[in-house]
Amino acid sequence: MKKKNNYESIRVNVNLPKKLVDRVKEFADNLGVNYTTAYIMILNQNLDQSLYRQRLYLIKQFISERLILENNFSINKEDCFKIIKMIDEML
């Protein structure tokens, strides 16, 4: 029995700069995947990265607010500042 895909495909037509298309083709060729797969991979990776950046920002805000609001923070304040600095570097 043939397994069905769990996704629906939609055709999208876009105009992209030639240099960008060339970069995607090179990316696909280096990985040995077709161009459609390369576009899907790149879009997924960047959308996920954007979501992670948003979450990191929220974590940073949460830690910063707790440091301001609570004097008896349950973990070392210096560790919190280190975490905030690391998050800033990632953003």
Side-chain angles (χ1 to χ4, degrees), residues 10-87:
I10 298 174
R11 184 169 190 83
V12 178
N13 295 314
V14 296
N15 294 317
L16 300 170
K18 182 181 180 332
K19 287 183 179 183
L20 181 60
V21 172
D22 291 342
R23 288 178 63 194
V24 174
K25 286 181 179 181
E26 183 179 348
F27 175 82
D29 292 342
N30 287 337
L31 290 179
V33 297
N34 64 44
Y35 299 148
T36 300
T37 300
Y39 280 102
I40 292 169
M41 290 173 67
I42 291 167
L43 282 169
N44 275 320
Q45 288 172 357
N46 284 289
L47 289 171
D48 289 345
Q49 182 183 21
S50 177
L51 180 62
Y52 295 142
R53 290 174 69 92
Q54 290 172 4
R55 289 178 180 167
L56 278 173
Y57 178 77
L58 291 175
I59 291 168
K60 176 190 165 194
Q61 290 301 106
F62 174 79
I63 292 171
S64 297
E65 288 171 9
R66 290 294 168 249
L67 283 172
I68 291 168
L69 294 175
E70 298 178 17
N71 288 331
N72 297 324
F73 200 67
S74 60
I75 61 173
N76 188 324
K77 288 184 181 184
E78 290 178 15
D79 290 338
C80 291
F81 289 123
K82 287 179 186 175
I83 293 168
I84 291 170
K85 184 177 179 183
M86 287 172 37
I87 292 171

